[in-house]
Amino acid sequence: MESETVWDLSWKRPENLPYPKIWRRFEAISRKTGTKYKIKIQDIPEDRFEEAIYFNEAYQDRKEPILSALKISEDTESVIALRILRRKMLEQRISLMATIDQEDDAHSKCEMIGTLLLSVRSKNDPPTKQGGKQLKKVFDLFAHLLKGHDPFQLLESDCYISNFGLTVAPNYYGLGIGLELELQSQAVGKACGISGSSILFTSMYSQPLWRKLGCTLLNDVRYDEFKNESGEVIIPNVVGSPVADFRICRLGGRDESVATGKKLGADWTAVIRNAHKNVISVKNTTRLSEP
C-alpha cells in the first residue's frame, strides 16, 4: 500500500537557519475559565516527528470537517498514505508546533498542544500520487480549486509554502494558538527566502484567520456542489462550514496584485462572522527577533 503514495519534495531548509528554533513566546488567558497559559511556537524537532503525526491522527483526522466527514481514520490505506505525506512534510523541517512554555530549550519535551504541518512546493517537484480512496477525494478537491490557477505564476515564485493542516488540542481551544501558528509560518517562510503561501480553509474556526493573515481568495466551492460525473456529492455531510476556500498570500501581508476579485458567498460569510465569539485574550506577548 505504501507504494501507492508518491510525494517527493525537493526543497531543503537553509543550512544557516538554526533548527529547531523557537519563533514566538506569548501568554494567553482563556475567557471561559480565566486560566493563564505561557505558550511557545517553535519548529517541530526530529525526535518529535512521530508524536506530531499521531497528534494529527488523534485530533485533525477526527475533527477537521473534510477528514471527519470522509471518516478518513477508518480507511486503512488513507491512514497509511497520510502518515507518509506527513512524514515527508516534517522532514523538510519547516512545520511548527505550539507547546506549553516551561523550558527555554527547543529540544525540551513540553506538552504539544498544537501543530501546523507545512510543505514547500517547488516547480521542479515530480507529480504526486495519493494512496487511499478517501484521501484521494481530498486531493480531488485541491485539484478542483486549483483548476485554471497557478500559485507559482500568481506569486511570481519558484516555490511556495503549502499549508496542510492546522491542529489544536481541544483543551486549548480559544487561546489564539491557531492564529499564532499561522503568523509564525509567515515568519519562517520569510526567513527561508520564500515569498508566498497557499492555504485551504475548510472550517468556520479557521476561515476567520484569513483576514488577519492578509490572504487573497483564489477559488471556493460549496461542498454540496462538489460532485462527480454521476452527480453525486464527493464529500457529503460536512459539518461546520458549507464552503471550502483556497487562498494564497504574499508573506508579510496583503498584496492586491494576486487578488482575483472573487467574493465570498453571503450564506457562509455570516457564519464566519459569528464564529469565535468567545475566543481569546492575549497578553504580554513577546516576539523573538527575526533571524
Side-chain angles (χ1 to χ4, degrees):
M1 286 186 285
E2 291 198 8
S3 61
E4 296 178 1
T5 298
V6 178
W7 187 272
D8 292 326
L9 301 170
S10 59
W11 182 88
K12 304 294 183 184
R13 182 184 176 111
E15 292 184 2
N16 62 349
L17 182 62
Y19 171 83
K21 176 180 173 61
I22 298 173
W23 293 91
R24 172 107 158 102
R25 282 190 159 96
F26 66 99
E27 293 183 3
I29 303 173
S30 170
R31 288 183 177 173
K32 280 189 175 182
T33 66
T35 304
K36 296 180 181 179
Y37 296 93
K38 290 184 178 182
I39 301 168
K40 64 182 175 183
I41 308 295
Q42 67 162 79
D43 297 322
I44 302 177
E46 291 182 12
D47 61 357
R48 302 192 74 173
F49 282 1
E50 294 306 308
E51 180 184 355
I53 290 171
Y54 290 116
F55 181 89
N56 278 265
E57 289 183 352
Y59 297 124
Q60 188 187 42
D61 292 2
R62 290 172 170 80
K63 292 185 177 295
E64 190 279 329
I66 292 177
L67 300 181
S68 175
L70 290 172
K71 298 182 179 179
I72 206 89
S73 59
E74 298 177 15
D75 178 8
T76 302
E77 290 191 14
S78 291
V79 170
I80 293 172
L82 267 174
R83 286 177 183 169
I84 294 171
L85 301 187
R86 286 167 172 157
R87 193 170 290 110
K88 289 284 188 181
M89 284 184 278
L90 288 164
E91 288 171 355
Q92 287 193 301
R93 301 191 301 172
I94 196 172
S95 295
L96 299 172
M97 70 178 181
T99 70
I100 296 299
D101 190 5
Q102 296 173 324
E103 300 179 39
D104 290 334
D105 186 1
H107 288 281
S108 65
K109 294 293 186 179
C110 298
E111 180 186 358
M112 183 182 291
I113 60 177
T115 62
L116 178 58
L117 298 191
L118 306 167
S119 66
V120 178
R121 306 309 307 273
S122 302
K123 271 188 175 181
N124 58 347
D125 286 343
T128 60
K129 181 180 179 182
Q130 290 74 41
K133 178 181 177 181
Q134 297 301 78
L135 183 61
K136 184 179 182 301
K137 295 177 182 179
V138 177
F139 283 89
D140 286 345
L141 177 62
F142 272 108
H144 176 81
L145 290 169
L146 277 172
K147 190 177 297 182
H149 302 285
D150 182 357
F152 295 109
Q153 182 179 5
L154 290 167
L155 292 168
E156 299 176 316
S157 178
D158 290 336
C159 64
Y160 66 91
I161 291 177
S162 177
N163 185 318
F164 195 76
L166 172 64
T167 307
V168 177
N171 288 344
Y172 297 94
Y173 286 174
L175 295 175
I177 294 170
L179 176 59
E180 292 291 346
L181 283 164
E182 293 285 5
L183 288 172
Q184 292 316 301
S185 74
Q186 295 190 345
V188 175
K190 287 190 289 183
C192 292
I194 300 170
S195 60
S197 65
S198 70
I199 308 176
L200 175 62
F201 291 99
T202 62
S203 162
M204 75 169 75
Y205 300 105
S206 63
Q207 283 163 338
L209 298 180
W210 72 262
R211 296 181 186 275
K212 297 180 180 180
L213 297 171
C215 299
T216 302
L217 181 65
L218 192 64
N219 201 1
D220 62 15
V221 64
R222 288 185 59 94
Y223 295 116
D224 58 9
E225 294 176 356
F226 178 48
K227 301 178 180 180
N228 59 24
E229 294 179 354
S230 301
E232 301 170 323
V233 175
I234 296 175
I235 308 177
N237 306 316
V238 178
V239 177
S241 175
V243 172
D245 66 283
F246 190 83
R247 295 181 178 270
I248 59 175
C249 61
R250 292 192 184 277
L251 301 186
R254 180 180 301 281
D255 187 335
E256 296 301 335
S257 67
V258 298
T260 62
K262 193 172 177 63
K263 295 184 178 180
L264 307 180
D267 57 339
W268 64 280
T269 299
V271 175
I272 293 173
R273 285 176 178 168
N274 290 327
H276 272 355
K277 288 183 179 178
N278 196 24
V279 190
I280 60 169
S281 174
V282 177
K283 292 187 176 182
N284 301 324
T285 57
T286 302
R287 185 176 301 280
L288 301 183
S289 59
E290 293 289 345

